[in-house]
Amino acid sequence: MNSEKENFQSKNYISKSIFYRLSQFVGFLIGARFFVAILLTFALYVSTFFLFNQDETFRNFVFDFKVHGIIFCTVITILAGGIINQFYDLEKDHVVKPFRTRIQSFIKQKYFLYAYLALTAISLGVAWMISHKVFAFFLVYQFFMWFYSHKLSRLLIINNLTFVSLTLYPFFGMMVYYETFSKKVLLMAIFLFLILLCIDIVKDMLTKSVDKAFGYTTIPNFFKSRNTQIIIISLLIITMAVSMKLILKTGITGFMAYYFTGGLFVMILCIYLLLDSSRKSKFFTLNILRFWVFVGIMAMLLNGIENKL
């Protein structure tokens, strides 16, 4: 009887131990924004091969280890940035994202910091082996990742502009690396910048009271709700104007032409939703814009494959 009881306790302990380790692993992935890093990696590969580097063959691209090294450093830096951001936003996340915070609580904060330092060192080490210019590029990237979490995320307007700029920084690096400067690429960059800026401001609208309580000076808690709506709607109208410019003046064709044409209707839908001041409408607007960014990546992929064939 005692033997059966001991066996049961042993199995129960092993089961709890496996669950605890699994929770730690999931907590680390969430804390490091692993899934965001995966999406950005996919977006980087698609934009690099099909937008910035259209003349190179697929075989040459596959064996261009310098490019893979740069993208690897980017992913590691994004993971490190996610960790340091959640470290500074921990108290706020307890209120805004209780489930995520609960999962992350399986790992002590000091281990997140150890992981941050390790990832930072790996990224800079690989960047140094690629070239001194690449090392300087990622040193600047990592500094502003930390400085954004430490200070800039609490400053009015600067927080939104810095967040969006840091998101696009790796793409800008690839554009400079391949010297891909054209009117079409510039307008596409402006289009993406505006959409990401709208996403960030709408996100701040949903966390308005919490941001204010924890000392984050955002557009929604500094200006009135009506003024914030006007700002976002104005940005969406400018985004529509950029879309029209891309369609009519750059000769864009294929899936990307359909994407920017469809984007006009998406922006109109978002404007309609924002005229309703309910939290539900803001939530729908946020997820529609996020989904449209993903659709843009897929449209670029399909358009690139179509052109290569």
Side-chain angles (χ1 to χ4, degrees):
M1 191 74 176
N2 288 334
S3 178
E4 289 180 1
K5 185 177 180 181
E6 287 175 0
N7 287 336
F8 175 78
Q9 289 176 340
S10 177
K11 289 178 180 178
N12 193 36
Y13 173 78
I14 292 171
S15 176
K16 286 182 177 179
S17 178
I18 293 172
F19 175 76
Y20 182 75
R21 296 300 179 192
L22 181 62
S23 298
Q24 283 185 314
F25 178 68
V26 173
F28 176 77
L29 293 182
I30 293 174
R33 313 280 170 86
F34 179 78
F35 303 105
V36 174
I38 290 295
L39 179 61
L40 281 173
T41 304
F42 177 63
L44 267 173
Y45 270 111
V46 170
S47 59
T48 299
F49 184 62
F50 292 118
L51 183 62
F52 304 135
N53 185 28
Q54 297 181 7
D55 297 329
E56 191 175 40
T57 64
F58 182 71
R59 177 183 174 83
N60 290 338
F61 178 72
V62 168
F63 290 99
D64 191 343
F65 294 108
K66 189 173 182 179
V67 171
H68 297 308
I70 293 171
I71 293 177
F72 172 78
C73 290
T74 300
V75 175
I76 297 299
T77 300
I78 290 168
L79 292 174
I83 289 172
I84 200 64
N85 185 252
Q86 71 85 30
F87 178 79
Y88 281 103
D89 288 351
L90 187 62
E91 290 184 347
K92 174 186 165 183
D93 288 344
H94 271 294
V95 181
V96 179
K97 303 167 184 174
F99 176 75
R100 194 181 85 173
T101 308
R102 173 60 182 162
I103 294 295
Q104 289 173 213
S105 67
F106 285 96
I107 305 178
K108 294 179 180 179
Q109 285 300 303
K110 67 176 182 179
Y111 294 120
F112 275 115
L113 287 178
Y114 293 156
Y116 167 72
L117 293 173
L119 290 170
T120 299
I122 291 169
S123 177
L124 291 177
V126 173
W128 180 267
M129 288 188 288
I130 295 171
S131 78
H132 294 169
K133 288 182 179 179
V134 173
F135 174 81
F137 177 85
F138 281 101
L139 189 63
V140 171
Y141 191 24
Q142 292 191 1
F143 170 77
F144 276 102
M145 280 276 201
W146 166 79
F147 195 50
Y148 167 78
S149 300
H150 176 63
K151 199 75 175 176
L152 300 181
S153 62
R154 297 175 182 269
L155 303 179
L156 177 66
I157 299 176
I158 293 174
N159 49 16
N160 303 111
L161 295 177
T162 306
F163 175 79
V164 176
S165 298
L166 286 172
T167 304
L168 296 178
Y169 187 79
F171 298 92
F172 172 75
M174 282 299 182
M175 185 177 71
V176 173
Y177 177 75
Y178 284 108
E179 298 181 354
T180 311
F181 303 102
S182 66
K183 184 178 180 180
K184 182 176 78 172
V185 172
L186 176 63
L187 288 172
M188 288 174 71
I190 293 171
F191 175 88
L192 184 56
F193 183 90
L194 290 169
I195 284 194
L196 291 175
L197 186 58
C198 290
I199 288 171
D200 203 43
I201 298 173
V202 174
K203 179 169 63 69
D204 288 341
M205 290 178 76
L206 292 170
T207 59
K208 177 181 176 180
S209 57
V210 179
D211 285 332
K212 191 172 184 178
F214 286 99
Y216 292 81
T217 310
T218 61
I219 289 174
N221 66 42
F222 184 84
F223 299 102
K224 293 179 180 179
S225 297
R226 180 70 177 173
N227 291 335
T228 304
Q229 284 180 321
I230 291 171
I231 289 169
I232 299 173
I233 290 171
S234 299
L235 289 171
L236 289 171
I237 291 171
I238 296 170
T239 307
M240 291 172 66
V242 173
S243 295
M244 290 294 294
K245 193 83 171 175
L246 275 160
I247 296 165
L248 299 175
K249 300 295 183 180
T250 63
I252 200 165
T253 58
F255 288 96
M256 291 306 293
Y258 294 127
Y259 172 74
F260 288 111
T261 303
L264 297 173
F265 297 99
V266 171
M267 300 304 126
I268 291 170
L269 174 61
C270 289
I271 291 170
Y272 172 77
L273 289 171
L274 285 168
L275 292 174
D276 180 2
S277 59
S278 69
R279 183 178 178 84
K280 188 176 180 180
S281 295
K282 295 169 189 171
F283 180 77
F284 278 135
T285 303
L286 177 65
N287 286 289
I288 287 169
L289 290 173
R290 282 174 170 172
F291 176 71
W292 198 244
V293 171
F294 176 74
V295 171
I297 298 170
M298 297 307 298
M300 189 185 298
L301 174 63
L302 293 172
N303 196 78
I305 292 172
E306 182 183 42
N307 290 337
K308 292 287 183 181
L309 296 175

